[in-house]
Amino acid sequence: MSQLSPFRLSSARLGSARFRYPRLLPRVGPSSCLLPLSPPRFPARARPLPLRPPGAGSAFLTRAAAAAKAAAVRPWGRGQEGRGSGSDRRSAGRRLKMAAAVGSITGAAGGVVLRGRSVWGRSRLRFGLTTYRRFSSGSAYPNIPLSSPLPGVPKPVFATVDGQEKFETKVTTLENGLRVASQNKFGQFCTVGILINSGSRHEAKYVGGIAHFLEKLAFSSTARFGSKDEILLTLEKHGGICDCQTSRDTTMYAVSADTKGLDTVVGLLADVVLQPKLSDEEIEMTRMAVQFELEDLNMRPDPEPLLTEMIHEAAYRENTVGLHRFCPAENIPKIDQKVLHSYLRNYYTPDRMVLAGVGIEHEQLVECARKYLLGTDPVWSSGQAKDVDRSIAQYTGGIIKIERDMSDVSLGPTPIPELTHIMIGLESCSFLEEDFIPFAVLNMMMGGGGSFSAGGPGKGMFTRLYLNVLNRHHWMYNATSYHHSYEDTGLLCIHASADPRQVREMVEIITREFISMGGAVGEVELERAKTQLMSMLMMNLESRPVIFEDVGRQVLATNSRKLPHELCALIRNVKSDDIRRVAAKMLRGKPAVAALGDLTDLPTYEHIQAALASKDGRLPRMYRLFR
């Protein structure tokens, strides 16, 4: 049968583009075969082989088998003595091909099989139009419509959702205070990590920049692993990757790997967090990495990270979230192993940690936590933390200015024009307060973006900063709203960019937008903002690492987690009165201002504060005797 399989497989290509028949004759004769109207033009020496007619009996097969047997005993070849003439070789070849074709079409509709000779002299098969077939699919169920299930086929079983309990985040607190949180999510891979209530806001009594250093030192040599390469090789065995991120209030160590390697991953995380070597060589390499990142921060065309740093420094001057997130250049040589251990001793304690996992069983994660994180002594010695900073953020307001030549920030064939960047912010609320959701809707309603942003869902082309600012003032290059929220405070700010000669007008436009937040809110724009916020929330939570971070941060702050459907319900309940109320409360505070670039025409801080306290948001008029 293996010799016949090529013919059987090739029969599916009958009627292909190789030969096309324009039209067909009706059935003729007792054979009931369909024949072409005019015979096709085949290559030289090509002959159609006979097929078994539908009504033929076993005599046809007997004659075909006899012909095949005769061809098998009759030698034929090319260029050898005593192997027969050319006509004999052709006849034998036809008989062999005929026998194979007969076997391939037994019991099914066939086609016209042709044998020809190519330009290289090798035989090849050609196929013509298929003969009459009763059912094109050849299925064993010809009379059953596609809309009905086939008889005898097992009934499929689909996955079902048994209420919301399948999506609840499970939290367990161990004896040492460590919290273990997990979220059910189907898939082969999982994301596991340790989140720590530690960040730049806790460095008031230390040298600034420790959190930045710890981020760069993460996943280096430990007590069990001699180098970072060994850690990466261990993770690669389970298809894993690792990452560490620090913010103003949280440090996060995370690994994504195959669920079968959960025990290895948790053991590795415990070793990385509690027993890092922090060798002198690694600290020296980190100094170089931090220095390079500071230089890149000041040279990159996008000023948003630097402006965010400046607006926090202006809003919370020298306290908590206003402390430097990036290590100051003067502190780079001051940070060593002793300073790092002193900080870790107070803030890397089990009661300030959460082991979070997504895509794994909760009991399995708790078991691994007990194995590796319960009773493990850190390398900086165990004991209770003695000097923990529990300060509450104090909003001060103010202005931070950096005069800089921005004309050559991005050279090349399409250089970015010289721009002045302004960011104005006001205090909002923490993510633990009820007004957090209305502030999030307000931020989405303001929206904004760059002047060259493309349209489409989620791009904010119908937000206020697009309709009122970017669409009306062509010289504005950027107008974007941001909302930063922490456990005890928050900051809603607008970032704008324009030519240095139009800085004053740009500031007035932004202050007027702040004042309009406390005015009338259209029902259409409010519903659009709420829908867009819910859409962004649900789309972000499609990603496993985002779910992991959401689980870890919420459990770290509140010991529980609000599920997406609960957040969507809170968003739907936001009314226009809530937007006006939180906006009026925000406008009563002092502004925070960050300015970068050519600041010759920048209004004074007092004028910006007066504009935000007025009814129309206009800056006080200035009269100059000489220009």
Side-chain angles (χ1 to χ4, degrees):
M1 296 299 292
S2 61
Q3 296 178 354
L4 303 181
S5 60
F7 295 91
R8 183 172 289 110
L9 292 174
S10 300
S11 65
R13 297 181 57 192
L14 299 176
S16 64
R18 192 179 293 267
F19 293 109
R20 300 186 183 276
Y21 293 81
R23 55 188 179 274
L24 303 174
L25 283 175
R27 297 182 181 181
V28 290
S31 62
S32 301
C33 291
L34 291 178
L35 301 177
L37 182 63
S38 58
R41 298 179 180 180
F42 301 114
R45 299 184 179 181
R47 298 291 186 272
L49 300 182
L51 303 179
R52 177 186 178 184
S58 60
F60 181 84
L61 295 177
T62 304
R63 290 195 300 271
K69 182 177 180 181
V73 299
R74 186 179 302 167
W76 56 285
R78 180 187 297 272
Q80 297 183 10
E81 296 294 336
R83 291 303 180 107
S85 63
S87 60
D88 292 337
R89 292 195 300 271
R90 289 191 295 274
S91 299
R94 282 197 297 272
R95 285 191 290 271
L96 283 173
K97 300 298 183 181
M98 180 183 68
V102 168
S104 67
I105 63 174
T106 303
V112 180
V113 186
L114 306 174
R115 175 181 174 272
R117 194 180 300 277
S118 65
V119 294
W120 292 283
R122 297 181 180 179
S123 298
R124 63 182 182 183
L125 294 179
R126 297 180 182 275
F127 301 93
L129 185 69
T130 58
T131 58
Y132 171 74
R133 287 187 291 180
R134 190 173 180 184
F135 300 105
S136 60
S137 64
S139 172
Y141 307 98
N143 298 322
I144 299 177
L146 296 178
S147 58
S148 302
L150 298 177
V153 177
K155 185 178 180 180
V157 179
F158 300 99
T160 58
V161 178
D162 300 330
Q164 294 294 338
E165 62 271 8
K166 294 290 185 180
F167 299 95
E168 290 182 358
T169 301
K170 298 181 180 179
V171 182
T172 301
T173 303
L174 302 185
E175 290 79 358
N176 59 356
L178 177 75
R179 285 157 288 179
V180 182
S182 69
Q183 177 71 41
N184 189 17
K185 184 176 177 63
F186 299 101
Q188 181 182 358
F189 282 79
C190 65
T191 300
V192 184
I194 296 178
L195 291 91
I196 308 168
N197 187 9
S198 165
S200 60
R201 68 171 296 166
H202 302 104
E203 298 175 359
K205 301 179 181 179
Y206 297 88
V207 178
I210 293 178
H212 193 189
F213 260 71
L214 291 175
E215 178 183 358
K216 301 302 177 186
L217 285 166
F219 294 97
S220 297
S221 61
T222 66
R224 289 172 48 201
F225 301 95
S227 65
K228 190 170 188 175
D229 293 337
E230 291 187 23
I231 294 178
L232 298 179
L233 288 174
T234 302
L235 290 176
E236 284 181 2
K237 295 178 182 178
H238 303 282
I241 56 175
C242 60
D243 185 30
C244 178
Q245 297 179 8
T246 60
S247 62
R248 301 183 187 278
D249 56 354
T250 308
T251 301
M252 179 177 62
Y253 297 81
V255 171
S256 290
D258 195 295
T259 53
K260 297 178 182 178
L262 177 63
D263 188 82
T264 303
V265 168
V266 176
L268 186 147
L269 284 169
D271 217 45
V272 166
V273 173
L274 298 178
Q275 295 182 336
K277 285 186 177 179
L278 303 179
S279 64
D280 294 338
E281 181 182 359
E282 291 172 344
I283 293 177
E284 186 60 35
M285 292 294 295
T286 302
R287 290 193 181 108
M288 297 172 60
V290 170
Q291 183 66 41
F292 174 81
E293 188 168 351
L294 292 178
E295 294 175 1
D296 176 70
L297 184 67
N298 292 317
M299 294 174 60
R300 65 174 58 185
D302 179 22
E304 194 268 330
L306 183 58
L307 283 170
T308 302
E309 183 82 3
M310 294 169 60
I311 196 71
H312 279 82
E313 185 179 350
Y316 307 92
R317 191 172 295 272
E318 298 181 357
N319 75 92
T320 58
V321 295
L323 300 177
H324 295 283
R325 178 172 173 265
F326 299 99
C327 179
E330 61 272 13
N331 290 348
I332 292 178
K334 300 178 182 179
I335 298 178
D336 53 14
Q337 187 187 70
K338 183 179 179 181
V339 174
L340 294 173
H341 279 180
S342 175
Y343 178 85
L344 294 171
R345 186 178 298 110
N346 289 318
Y347 292 99
Y348 276 43
T349 55
D351 59 304
R352 301 177 67 89
M353 295 182 183
V354 170
L355 174 65
V358 177
I360 40 138
E361 295 293 335
H362 184 71
E363 292 75 14
Q364 188 179 2
L365 184 61
V366 172
E367 181 182 352
C368 293
R370 292 183 181 276
K371 180 178 178 181
Y372 294 105
L373 293 168
L374 188 61
T376 303
D377 292 331
V379 70
W380 48 84
S381 75
S382 60
Q384 293 294 327
K386 300 179 181 179
D387 197 11
V388 177
D389 183 12
R390 293 185 172 87
S391 302
I392 297 177
Q394 302 294 321
Y395 182 85
T396 61
I399 185 170
I400 297 292
K401 298 186 293 184
I402 297 181
E403 293 258 5
R404 181 178 296 175
D405 182 12
M406 307 287 287
S407 59
D408 58 349
V409 68
S410 177
L411 303 177
T414 55
I416 297 178
E418 182 181 3
L419 300 174
T420 295
H421 304 274
I422 304 295
M423 186 175 284
I424 301 176
L426 292 168
E427 186 182 17
S428 58
C429 70
S430 76
F431 55 72
L432 300 177
E433 300 179 35
E434 293 182 356
D435 288 341
F436 171 69
I437 298 297
F439 268 114
V441 176
L442 174 60
N443 174 63
M444 194 61 62
M445 190 172 65
M446 297 305 297
S451 59
F452 296 101
S453 296
K459 291 296 183 180
M461 302 297 286
F462 288 95
T463 59
R464 285 191 177 185
L465 292 181
Y466 258 105
L467 295 176
N468 302 339
V469 178
L470 294 173
N471 288 354
R472 296 185 181 181
H473 308 283
H474 64 88
W475 44 269
M476 291 279 287
Y477 277 79
N478 183 34
T480 310
S481 175
Y482 298 96
H483 186 215
H484 307 278
S485 190
Y486 306 96
E487 63 179 357
D488 52 1
T489 187
L491 190 65
L492 181 70
C493 48
I494 296 178
H495 169 211
S497 304
D499 188 272
R501 294 168 294 183
Q502 294 170 306
V503 170
R504 182 177 179 85
E505 187 176 357
M506 173 180 64
V507 171
E508 184 171 281
I509 290 172
I510 299 305
T511 56
R512 291 169 64 180
E513 286 303 314
F514 269 111
I515 296 299
S516 67
M517 292 181 188
V521 179
E523 192 65 28
V524 174
E525 67 172 346
L526 178 60
E527 290 300 320
R528 181 185 293 118
K530 293 194 293 184
T531 303
Q532 188 173 348
L533 180 60
M534 289 187 290
S535 172
M536 185 176 297
L537 171 68
M538 301 306 293
M539 285 190 294
N540 286 336
L541 290 177
E542 290 288 330
S543 173
R544 189 180 62 252
V546 175
I547 298 176
F548 157 76
E549 186 174 353
D550 182 55
V551 169
R553 286 183 178 274
Q554 289 201 46
V555 173
L556 191 65
T558 65
N559 292 324
S560 62
R561 180 187 180 227
K562 286 185 179 179
L563 299 179
H565 72 276
E566 297 178 286
L567 295 174
C568 290
L570 293 175
I571 294 172
R572 294 190 190 96
N573 293 333
V574 174
K575 308 298 181 183
S576 57
D577 293 339
D578 299 326
I579 301 295
R580 290 195 295 269
R581 175 177 53 81
V582 298
K585 176 184 175 182
M586 177 181 65
L587 289 170
R588 288 196 290 267
K590 296 175 59 178
V593 182
L596 175 66
D598 184 356
L599 309 179
T600 305
D601 295 333
L602 177 69
T604 63
Y605 177 77
E606 289 74 16
H607 284 185
I608 297 175
Q609 187 175 3
L612 290 172
S614 64
K615 294 183 178 180
D616 55 3
R618 295 184 179 275
L619 291 169
R621 294 293 169 237
M622 296 180 60
Y623 301 96
R624 299 180 181 177
L625 184 60
F626 302 101
R627 290 187 177 274

